[in-house]
Amino acid sequence: MSTINYSIVSARVLSAITHSPGFESFGAEIARLTGLRAPSIYKLLARLAERGFVREARVEPARHGTPRRWFALTDAGRALAEQWGVMRRETVVAERLRAVAVVLDLGAGDPLFRVADLLDVPGVPGAEFDVDALVEAVLGSDDGP
């Protein structure tokens, strides 16, 4: 696999994991989301793990066949997904709001955590706030300063 192809398919894999609950997913689901074959997915996941972008999170016993192996993004993987532009801007903002809430020692029921949770759901129906305005306030506009 050439370097450019590796980067493109790696971005697709990172994007699939980034948009999964808790930044975790398993091989078959990643294959479904990316349209790639499972053997290719596991080779890519191994390479991404060697480079520190993903880690094996857990293994679920199988009722039939192979156990389900879950993979999670590391902090470096999240940074790479953000750098490559495969992480939704809303997800980036949600991560930053959670970090602020932790620093301020706010409880899990605090509105800041609730807003972050709402941002993690694509197309938030009925949000009590302007999602685009919040994203722009935290990240700035795409047009520059």
Side-chain angles (χ1 to χ4, degrees), residues 29-105:
E29 180 66 6
I30 296 168
R32 186 187 68 75
L33 292 170
T34 62
L36 299 169
R37 293 179 35 241
S40 298
I41 295 295
Y42 284 105
K43 286 179 187 174
L44 283 166
L45 288 168
R47 287 180 78 177
L48 290 167
E50 286 172 8
R51 291 175 170 90
F53 298 120
V54 300
R55 65 176 173 73
E56 189 170 299
R58 64 182 185 274
V59 177
E60 291 179 353
R63 292 183 186 175
H64 308 287
T66 308
R68 181 176 285 175
R69 293 173 44 209
W70 287 79
F71 294 87
L73 289 181
T74 62
D75 289 341
R78 289 182 192 179
L80 183 63
E82 186 176 345
Q83 177 186 344
W84 281 357
V86 298
M87 183 181 287
R88 291 174 49 249
R89 289 171 53 87
E90 293 85 356
T91 301
V92 174
V93 171
E95 287 283 296
R96 291 183 182 177
L97 291 176
R98 285 188 188 101
V100 168
V102 167
V103 168
L104 295 174
D105 199 25

Side-chain angles (χ1 to χ4, degrees), residues 107-126:
D110 188 83
L112 200 53
F113 279 111
R114 289 198 320 266
V115 167
D117 291 342
L118 285 173
L119 286 171
D120 265 342
V121 179
V124 182

